[in-house]
């Protein structure tokens, strides 16, 4: 029962919180990435994930951390995005990592187009003077890519070993 609750609540809740935080503040807190890592450890223990599988998930997270920081150094993503990407990959694992990256890329492209088109529209009066909306609407502003990272994670999550372990 506890394993089911952790698997069905922790990852989805942290994905939703991260996407919301990124839209509202343009940051993803390190605490969220650390919570994902801790949640993974708890979930792995609760379902009895074999050590070899745990190692492969850790390797997936590490490789994606390296990729994320490479993208960060090239100024394609923020540092919070890079860490969140790695922590999400830890849960997703190698088996679904390519699917996750394809899905998040498609969502990220669509999300970026939506934001860019929206930025070219005048902001309605009732939306003005809200810090996060003003920040999101700035023509040269950043795109909160945590939305795509989280959405991709939520879409792929039901295909992961976690659901097989509790269903």
């Amino acid at each position: 029962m506890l394993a089911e609750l952790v698997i069905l609540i922790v990852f989805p809740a942290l994905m939703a919180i991260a996407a919301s935080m990124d839209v509202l503040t343009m940051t993803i807190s390190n605490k969220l990435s650390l919570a994902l890592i801790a949640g993974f450890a708890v979930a792995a223990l609760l379902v009895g994930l074999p050590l070899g599988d745990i190692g492969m998930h850790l390797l997936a997270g590490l490789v994606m951390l390296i990729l994320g920081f490479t993208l960060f150094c090239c100024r394609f993503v923020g540092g919070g995005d890079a860490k969140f990407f790695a922590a999400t990959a830890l849960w997703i694992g190698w088996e679904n990592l390519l699917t996750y990256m394809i899905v998040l890329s498609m969502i990220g492209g669509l999300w970026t187009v939506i934001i860019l088109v929206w930025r070219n529209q005048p902001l309605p009066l009732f939306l003005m003077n809200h810090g996060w909306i003003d920040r999101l609407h700035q023509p040269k502003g950043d795109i909160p890519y945590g939305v795509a990272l989280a959405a991709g994670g939520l879409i792929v999550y039901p295909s992961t070993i976690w659901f097989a372990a509790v269903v």
Side-chain angles (χ1 to χ4, degrees):
M1 176 72 170
L2 182 57
E4 290 87 355
L5 287 174
V6 168
I7 288 169
L8 295 175
I9 294 174
V10 171
F11 183 84
L14 292 173
M15 292 292 111
I17 292 167
S20 301
M21 274 184 90
D22 205 19
V23 168
L24 295 173
T25 67
M26 293 291 199
T27 59
I28 299 175
S29 170
N30 289 338
K31 292 176 185 174
L32 277 171
S33 295
L34 291 172
L36 276 170
I37 294 166
F40 170 83
V42 170
L45 289 174
L46 287 174
V47 301
L49 197 63
L51 280 178
D53 290 351
I54 292 172
M56 292 307 289
H57 279 261
L58 290 171
L59 184 59
L62 178 62
V63 169
M64 293 308 111
L65 183 64
I66 293 167
L67 175 60
F69 273 109
T70 301
L71 294 172
F72 170 71
C73 289
C74 295
R75 298 185 163 226
F76 292 126
V77 300
D81 294 329
K83 291 175 268 188
F84 181 66
F85 175 56
T88 302
L90 177 67
W91 279 81
I92 299 297
W94 284 115
E95 302 83 14
N96 296 289
L97 197 54
L98 181 59
T99 303
Y100 171 59
M101 291 173 34
I102 291 169
V103 169
L104 83 84
S105 296
M106 291 170 45
I107 293 169
L110 180 61
W111 175 240
T112 299
V113 168
I114 290 168
I115 294 294
L116 293 176
V117 167
W118 180 63
R119 286 178 177 170
N120 285 318
Q121 307 303 314
L123 197 58
L125 290 175
F126 71 93
L127 292 178
M128 290 183 176
N129 300 320
H130 297 286
W132 70 274
I133 294 175
D134 294 338
R135 194 170 36 254
L136 194 60
H137 195 259
Q138 289 186 11
K140 300 264 187 212
D142 292 332
I143 305 289
Y145 209 72
V147 172
L149 294 167
L154 288 171
I155 289 169
V156 174
Y157 189 58
S159 301
T160 65
I161 61 164
W162 304 109
F163 273 69
V166 298
V167 176

